[in-house]
Amino acid sequence: MKRVLSIQDISCIGRCSLTVALPLISALGAECAVLPTAVLSAHTAFEDFFVRDLTDEIPMILTAWKSHGTLSGNGEGTKTLSFDAVYSGYLASARQVQEVKEVWRDFGPSPCLHVVDPAMADDGKLYEGFSKDFVSSMKELVLSSDVAVPNLTELFLLTNTPYQTDADPELLKELIRKLHAEGAGSIVLTGCRGDEGDSIGSLVYDADSDVFTTCMGPLYDAIYHGTGDIFASVLTGAMVAGLPLTKAAALATDFVGHCIQATLQDPDAKWYGVSFEKEIPYLVDKVRAERVN
């Protein structure tokens, strides 16, 4: 079985980050290991949440991993712990960016898939607690990734370009090519609006084929916490399951829209996020059909 490591925060209440990545990647047929970057009492849509930064604990976890050797202890001999994919999301500090690089070096060498969701900004501004120095650190990680999954705000920050709310698609492609030319691999840009204003999805740049593809779905009059985490988790899990980048992005786009549609009548969704759990059978059926085809 393939093994994916997800490196991001965990919220005790609310659907986002690791509480999304763990079930979705598992449902797509891979073991999902976790490396928490922070623990929150609830995700940040709640007021007065408690947070514990785990930057100081991560090196101790990595040291223990290096000492484990064989995981099964079944007489097969010593094996080095490694991952088929490492997917990083929210990182609490520049130091944690360096810790992700250490994981790549020690537990995820090539052909391990390195997926980076540079979760640091939205709606034209950085998340609270982040500075331009953090953007520079995150850019180093993005430029070393196989697949980067920025949203619109993050793409502008990573390319040092003034934010535009209604950027022309050709400008977005130019910025993606700029990021790729600096070292990034494939790039999946999320939060792209359709020309008619009634659709939303992703713009996919496949570095191997040098081709852009748009993956769009309906735009609903609702905003839910954690949908970006669902997208990146499904994208990663689908690629590890064998789907090529563009099909994985199309699946992720479709599943996020499907979950939003299923959640529109849920009065608690504003706080807890989309009800993706009951839609997991739909996701499994979709990825099975793609693999058969």
Side-chain angles (χ1 to χ4, degrees):
M1 179 178 287
K2 297 288 184 70
R3 180 182 295 125
V4 178
L5 174 64
S6 183
I7 308 176
Q8 50 190 315
D9 62 292
I10 186 166
S11 295
C12 300
I13 299 293
R15 301 178 178 102
C16 65
S17 304
L18 284 178
T19 55
V20 165
L22 180 55
L24 289 177
I25 291 172
S26 298
L28 289 168
E31 175 190 348
C32 185
V34 302
L35 182 59
T37 59
V39 176
L40 290 80
S41 59
H43 66 54
T44 56
F46 288 82
E47 296 181 358
D48 301 323
F49 58 87
F50 167 80
V51 59
R52 173 75 71 189
D53 186 321
L54 299 179
T55 301
D56 290 339
E57 283 69 31
I58 291 175
M60 291 185 281
I61 294 172
L62 299 185
T63 297
W65 284 358
K66 291 173 185 176
S67 70
H68 286 337
T70 180
L71 296 180
S72 61
N74 59 5
E76 293 181 355
T78 301
K79 297 180 180 178
T80 302
L81 174 61
S82 63
F83 303 99
D84 297 286
V86 176
Y87 151 45
S88 63
Y90 178 86
L91 305 176
S93 64
R95 182 175 157 195
Q96 288 189 353
V97 172
Q98 299 305 314
E99 289 169 339
V100 172
K101 290 182 178 180
E102 182 179 346
V103 170
W104 285 1
R105 184 191 69 222
D106 294 336
F107 304 102
S110 181
C112 177
L113 175 69
H114 298 157
V115 180
V116 174
D117 178 1
M120 60 180 174
D122 204 358
D123 294 326
K125 58 185 179 181
L126 285 164
Y127 294 151
E128 184 177 351
F130 287 156
S131 67
K132 288 298 181 75
D133 288 340
F134 182 78
V135 175
S136 297
S137 295
M138 181 60 74
K139 184 172 181 177
E140 292 180 16
L141 199 63
V142 167
L143 294 184
S144 301
S145 67
D146 296 309
V147 181
V149 194
N151 61 29
L152 290 165
T153 301
E154 290 156 354
L155 177 65
F156 282 106
L157 285 168
L158 291 167
T159 56
N160 195 29
T161 305
Y163 177 70
Q164 298 181 28
T165 54
D166 297 311
D168 182 270
E170 292 306 312
L171 172 61
L172 298 179
K173 290 180 180 179
E174 178 183 329
L175 297 181
I176 287 172
R177 286 195 180 279
K178 177 180 178 181
L179 200 57
H180 173 65
E182 292 183 62
S186 296
I187 297 167
V188 181
L189 178 64
T190 63
C192 299
R193 300 293 180 96
D195 293 337
E196 303 301 320
D198 59 352
S199 60
I200 190 169
S202 54
L203 175 60
V204 183
Y205 173 69
D206 189 326
D208 291 334
S209 62
D210 191 32
V211 170
F212 283 95
T213 306
T214 55
C215 303
M216 306 301 289
L219 176 62
Y220 297 100
D221 186 20
I223 298 175
Y224 296 117
H225 198 84
T227 52
D229 299 328
I230 293 174
F231 182 95
S233 298
V234 172
L235 177 78
T236 302
M239 291 186 70
V240 171
L243 269 62
L245 174 67
T246 301
K247 284 191 175 184
L251 177 70
T253 301
D254 174 71
F255 184 67
V256 170
H258 190 79
C259 291
I260 291 174
Q261 183 182 38
T263 311
L264 287 173
Q265 303 305 314
D266 184 352
D268 291 329
K270 176 182 177 182
W271 296 108
Y272 295 104
V274 294
S275 304
F276 71 90
E277 296 92 342
K278 61 186 178 183
E279 304 307 321
I280 287 177
Y282 172 86
L283 175 65
V284 173
D285 288 343
K286 290 283 287 187
V287 77
R288 282 176 177 167
E290 289 289 353
R291 293 177 72 179
V292 169
N293 295 330

